[in-house]
């Protein structure tokens, strides 16, 4: 994911809570305000330029998906970009689909504008078949300044990127339902459309939006299946989710039709200075920005497993049901070490109340 501006404040080092949890609530046994909930956890596979420059390889990403499945993660994800080197996400997810059995495979986030809409519909339907319906599509429309050159490169008008995204999603869903009638949206117009392979899941995979601006929240509530933002302020998250749900109800949809998720970048360390330095290295390598800037845009967490779990639980209290973790490690060996430290976060949480 690229940085996206939103209302926020820095939230990097986490103070110890008065009642320390043992981990994040697990997918089938989570304790949340006295109720049993279905909280799920995902892992972003390290396929970006920062990892590639330090010896990461595409084949190892598919193998990492197998490892994550064995650890108990519910999902693995890959990002998408043209502005910097990145392993192509759909290619790796196809490989991961062939070697995993239950884990969900997702994009966080795919940029549909960078692919022809009809060809992408066929590719994604084929991937969903390979995954036996385990695919989730987090989609985005680019971000101010950072994505303008990418849109110019593919010949898509940056000014109409949100209409382009909505039209593309509408077109995918029509093609996945077998409807090849002429399509005329705000931006996309096709007098003839071919048949495409049908996805494993009737109607196609769930499609999650990622924006947090007022317009993006309204669009999410009206037409998308999930919401995957990364605000560093929990109140911003709670307010955004309320707006999404209100928009869903106004559109005649059930608020439960939208899965609330969170994209969080983490680095576990008992040493606060070491953890913050790691976040800064990751921010500089990934975004060419200091941690002081990125932490006003995205949720960045460092501290012990217990402290990180406590902070993430605040988002769960605010309504998050799927937590996607991005490890802020550049070196493959460092990533492996962090992954081992994160495993306790997948265990059931108990909190005194």
């Amino acid at each position: 994911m690229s940085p996206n501006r939103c209302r926020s404040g820095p939230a990097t080092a986490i103070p110890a809570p008065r009642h320390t949890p043992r981990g994040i609530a697990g997918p089938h046994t989570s304790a949340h305000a006295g109720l049993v909930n279905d909280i799920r956890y995902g892992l972003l596979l390290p396929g970006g330029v920062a990892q590639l420059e330090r010896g990461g390889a595409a084949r190892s990403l598919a193998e990492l998906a197998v490892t994550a499945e064995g650890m108990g993660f519910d999902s693995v994800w890959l990002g998408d970009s043209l502005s910097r080197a990145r392993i192509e996400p759909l290619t790796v997810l196809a490989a991961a689909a062939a070697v995993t059995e239950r884990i969900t495979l997702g994009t966080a986030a795919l940029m549909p504008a960078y692919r022809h809409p009809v060809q992408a519909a066929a590719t994604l339907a084929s991937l969903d078949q390979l995954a036996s319906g385990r695919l989730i599509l987090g989609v985005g429309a680019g971000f101010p300044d950072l994505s303008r050159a990418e849109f110019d490169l593919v010949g898509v008008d940056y000014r109409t990127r949100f209409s382009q995204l909505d039209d593309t999603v509408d077109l995918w869903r029509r093609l996945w339902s077998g409807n090849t009638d002429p399509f005329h949206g705000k931006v996309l117009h096709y007098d003839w459309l071919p048949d495409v392979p049908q996805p494993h899941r009737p109607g196609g995979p769930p499609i999650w939006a990622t924006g947090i601006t007022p317009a993006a929240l309204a669009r999410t509530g009206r037409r998308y299946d999930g919401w995957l933002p990364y605000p560093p302020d929990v109140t911003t998250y709670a307010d955004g989710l309320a707006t999404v749900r209100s928009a869903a109800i106004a559109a005649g949809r059930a608020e439960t039709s939208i899965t609330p998720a969170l994209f969080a970048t983490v680095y576990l360390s008992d040493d606060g200075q070491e953890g913050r330095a790691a976040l800064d290295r990751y921010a500089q390598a990934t975004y060419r920005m200091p941690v002081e800037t990125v932490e006003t845009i995205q949720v960045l967490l460092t501290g012990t497993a217990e402290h990180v779990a406590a902070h993430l639980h605040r988002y769960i209290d605010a309504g998050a049901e799927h937590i996607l973790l991005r490890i802020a490690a550049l070196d493959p060996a460092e990533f492996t070490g962090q992954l081992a430290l994160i495993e306790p976060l997948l265990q059931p949480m108990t909190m005194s109340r």
Side-chain angles (χ1 to χ4, degrees), residues 267-318:
Y267 190 93
L268 301 188
S269 176
D270 294 335
D271 185 327
Q273 290 185 339
E274 177 191 24
R276 187 166 178 83
L279 290 177
D280 186 63
R281 289 193 299 271
Y282 191 83
Q284 295 279 6
T286 304
Y287 300 120
R288 296 184 290 276
M289 298 179 184
V291 66
E292 290 82 6
T293 299
V294 178
E295 70 183 356
T296 68
I297 301 168
Q298 302 180 355
V299 55
L300 306 179
L301 305 176
T302 188
T304 65
E306 291 80 8
H307 294 173
V308 170
H311 197 89
L312 290 174
H313 197 273
R314 294 175 59 200
Y315 286 92
I316 294 172
D317 283 340

Side-chain angles (χ1 to χ4, degrees), residues 6 32 61 83 97 134 159 184-185 187 196 232 244 246 271 315 327:
C6 62
H32 179 213
L61 297 179
S83 65
R134 293 181 285 135
R159 297 168 298 178
H184 295 284
V187 176
V196 302
V244 167
S246 295
D271 185 327
Y315 286 92
I327 296 174

Side-chain angles (χ1 to χ4, degrees), residues 156-157 160-165 167 183-190:
V156 173
D157 191 338
T160 59
R161 63 192 185 280
F162 298 111
S163 295
Q164 174 91 17
L165 174 62
D167 279 2
F183 179 90
H184 295 284
K186 291 184 178 180
V187 176
L188 299 181
H189 298 277
Y190 299 104

Side-chain angles (χ1 to χ4, degrees), residues 31-78:
H32 179 213
L35 301 174
V36 174
N37 291 284
D38 191 19
I39 308 300
R40 301 191 175 275
Y41 306 94
L43 176 69
L44 186 77
L45 301 179
V49 61
Q51 289 81 22
L52 293 175
E53 290 176 348
R54 290 163 174 80
R59 183 182 294 273
S60 68
L61 297 179
E63 295 168 352
L64 181 56
V66 176
T67 299
E69 184 173 60
M71 290 177 64
F73 278 99
D74 297 283
S75 57
V76 290
W77 306 74
L78 276 166

Side-chain angles (χ1 to χ4, degrees), residues 161-182:
R161 63 192 185 280
F162 298 111
S163 295
Q164 174 91 17
L165 174 62
D166 291 344
D167 279 2
T168 299
V169 169
D170 288 347
L171 176 62
W172 287 350
R173 287 171 170 161
R174 284 185 54 176
L175 290 172
W176 292 337
S177 68
N179 184 345
T180 58
D181 292 341

